[in-house]
Amino acid sequence: MRLLFLGDLVGRSGRNVVIDRLPGLVERWRLDFVAVNGENAAGGFGITEEICQDVIDAGADAVTLGNHSWDQREALVFITRQDRLLRPVNYPRGTPGRGAHLYTARNGANVLVMNVMGRIYMDALDDPFAAVGRELDACPLGQVADAIIIDMHAEATSEKQAMGHFADGRASLVVGTHTHVPTADHQILEGGTAYMSDAGMCGDYDGVLGMEKEEPLRRFTTKIPSGRFTASLGEATLCGVAVETDDATGLAINVAPVRIGGRLSQALPDFW
Ligand SMILES: [Fe+2]
Ligand SMILES: [Fe+2]
């Protein structure tokens, strides 16, 4: 199977690069399944129902979230009727929506997508490892699921790497999100799981984490907040990771970074 995961869409530039480019990528690469992190899609803060639908219409089969899940309050409501939207699986019991779901891919296969949040330098949440372990036990790769994608939304690379090894051999891909900067450590782990510490953001890299740089700079240099953070509107780079899996086992055969457009060096998978 051919899977594409895209990192945090930030604001209008991030949305536009995905909405403009994703339909072409789905066709050109004959993608079976696409997951996208949408926690910053609405001006950098959360996601609205309209934006979520636009991203789905562009080709996203699943949209994951993170610590910004509820910045747009309407997400608490529409997530209950939009099963393509996932929030972290280790939120407290009773949180609206779901953190994992089994989807039907374009080729008819079953793809489990999971969104989980780390706890290092993040909110105190339920144990992400126990939560992922439960979901993997309930939906084993190669038996119930033909592919499994885990979006590990976390600050600390150590925690992300540990999650990669924890799920190694039981997931097709463990990919980090949240830092908004792509890492160069994409690899297939010993047990066959594709791994990348952070997919990077889909957004304008001439800023601070996708935001206009003036206000963050002011806050760092003066410690006085004097305005709001606004999403940077320059040309965005679409960032993510491409994975090809074995149809029988669901494990990864190939993994490559994807960077298209904008300021970053360009990267495309050479196996498609
Ligand atoms: Fe983010
Ligand atoms: Fe985040």
Side-chain angles (χ1 to χ4, degrees):
M1 284 182 73
R2 296 176 171 208
L3 314 174
L4 178 69
F5 182 92
L6 301 179
D8 312 31
L9 268 74
V10 182
R12 194 185 309 152
S13 318
R15 288 197 315 268
N16 285 349
V17 76
V18 171
I19 289 166
D20 291 348
R21 306 264 193 167
L22 184 55
L25 296 180
V26 169
E27 204 179 301
R28 178 149 39 105
W29 292 343
R30 291 183 285 116
L31 297 173
D32 295 305
F33 196 88
V34 179
V36 175
N37 186 294
E39 71 149 3
N40 308 107
F45 300 94
I47 191 165
T48 64
E49 186 163 25
E50 195 183 335
I51 290 171
C52 186
Q53 193 59 55
D54 288 346
V55 175
I56 291 166
D57 291 344
D61 299 288
V63 179
T64 53
L65 294 169
N67 52 306
H68 289 289
S69 294
W70 315 127
D71 287 359
Q72 304 294 324
R73 307 290 293 175
E74 63 177 272
L76 284 160
V77 177
F78 80 82
I79 196 169
T80 60
R81 57 176 176 254
Q82 177 52 272
D83 67 6
R84 293 197 183 276
L85 186 63
L86 298 175
R87 45 75 172 169
V89 71
N90 52 336
Y91 270 159
R93 193 182 291 271
T95 299
R98 62 204 70 71
H101 194 70
L102 193 63
Y103 299 96
T104 305
R106 285 178 191 77
N107 64 346
N110 294 318
V111 180
L112 177 70
V113 183
M114 211 182 303
N115 186 201
V116 64
M117 208 147 88
R119 295 190 293 187
I120 311 291
Y121 309 125
M122 308 279 286
D123 284 348
L125 289 174
D126 290 348
D127 178 359
F129 294 91
V132 166
R134 271 193 300 273
E135 298 294 337
L136 291 176
D137 287 346
C139 191
L141 184 64
Q143 298 171 44
V144 182
D146 299 299
I148 298 180
I149 298 171
I150 300 175
D151 171 1
M152 171 65 168
H153 197 79
E155 186 74 44
T157 306
S158 55
E159 201 178 16
K160 293 172 168 177
Q161 289 184 337
M163 182 60 79
H165 294 299
F166 178 79
D168 187 19
R170 295 192 287 166
S172 311
L173 169 67
V174 174
V175 58
T177 55
H178 177 71
T179 70
H180 291 198
V181 177
T183 59
D185 62 340
H186 53 279
Q187 59 177 300
I188 297 174
L189 302 175
E190 235 176 10
T193 297
Y195 174 81
M196 186 175 179
S197 290
D198 207 290
M201 67 169 175
C202 297
D204 175 11
Y205 281 78
D206 179 24
V208 175
L209 306 186
M211 295 289 146
E212 290 281 359
K213 50 192 173 258
E214 286 73 20
E215 178 59 17
L217 264 169
R218 256 195 310 270
R219 291 196 196 182
F220 278 117
T221 54
T222 68
K223 291 292 161 195
I224 302 167
S226 49
R228 292 160 56 92
F229 287 130
T230 50
S232 199
L233 294 176
E235 194 196 332
T237 305
L238 177 146
C239 281
V241 60
V243 179
E244 181 160 316
T245 63
D246 178 80
D247 286 342
T249 64
L251 293 169
I253 301 168
N254 280 307
V255 60
V258 175
R259 296 187 302 273
I260 301 172
R263 304 174 65 83
L264 298 193
S265 68
Q266 307 292 287
L268 299 171
D270 60 8
F271 45 83
W272 289 341

